[in-house]
Amino acid sequence: MTADRVRTLFNRIAPVYDQLNTSLSLGQHRVWKQMAVKWSGAATGDRCLDVCCGSGDLALLLAECVGLQGHVIGIDFAAAQLAIAQQRAQARYPQPSVTWQEGDALALPFPANHFDAATMGYGLRNVTDIPRSLRELQRVLKPGAKAAILDFHRPSNAMIRTLQQWYLEAIVVPAAQQFDLTDEYAYIAPSLDRFPTGSEQVMLARQADFATATHYPIAGGTMGVLVVMKG
């Protein structure tokens, strides 16, 4: 899928993105995102980045970690998603220390060695150049900083893999159909088939010059978090 098609897709699903994610994951996506933020090592006063921030879940969780002394930038190339993220942030009190910015994960508009921690949720699978995205993330992190990358995966267990495929076909696509978004959510299964496995992601991260890379399967291997650290 081209970058323009991905942008169009995420702009189109923006109004129902949070509602569908919550219902289709039985609310568990919030737990997985909290795990990713914890693994990122974000702390009070830090400057953090959330790449492919979508409607802002991870960025807002990071903002809770860094407090008003720190700052978070949420970057995405889908303007409709960023508008929803901004509305969600404005509804909070006190106002979280977050800036929402339109931009490309393959050409992050930040200087090198800039961020103390970073996250990326359900974005790596959708970029058009995974190695380049990882290199950009490595570039903007400070030495010793970590990033946690959360995404769907194809589980190695054949039984769970079959269950996942059934769930996508029998639950996810019909649920999306209620919102006239069948085609938009039907892309998930083929995107999973193309997505590197956990061990392949570790190898790609090392090739992107991360000093350490560990992949943690969660939710029976249907999800995973790649935790990387810059040397």
Side-chain angles (χ1 to χ4, degrees), residues 6-96:
V6 173
R7 182 188 290 109
T8 300
L9 184 154
F10 280 95
N11 276 323
R12 179 162 157 71
I13 66 177
V16 297
Y17 185 66
D18 291 327
Q19 183 180 345
L20 269 174
N21 280 350
T22 299
S23 59
L24 293 174
S25 71
L26 304 178
Q28 290 301 297
H29 74 101
R30 296 192 182 98
V31 176
W32 304 327
K33 288 169 181 173
Q34 287 169 347
M35 293 169 70
V37 168
K38 183 176 180 180
W39 271 322
S40 77
T44 302
D46 278 354
R47 178 193 294 144
C48 299
L49 175 67
D50 182 29
V51 183
C52 303
C53 67
S55 57
D57 276 357
L58 279 166
L60 291 170
L61 288 171
L62 283 171
E64 291 177 9
C65 286
V66 305
L68 296 179
Q69 305 98 310
H71 191 71
V72 177
I73 295 179
I75 189 167
D76 201 287
F77 69 173
Q81 294 276 8
L82 289 169
I84 291 172
Q86 189 161 16
Q87 290 170 6
R88 295 177 66 196
Q90 289 172 345
R92 298 196 174 192
Y93 182 84
Q95 290 284 296

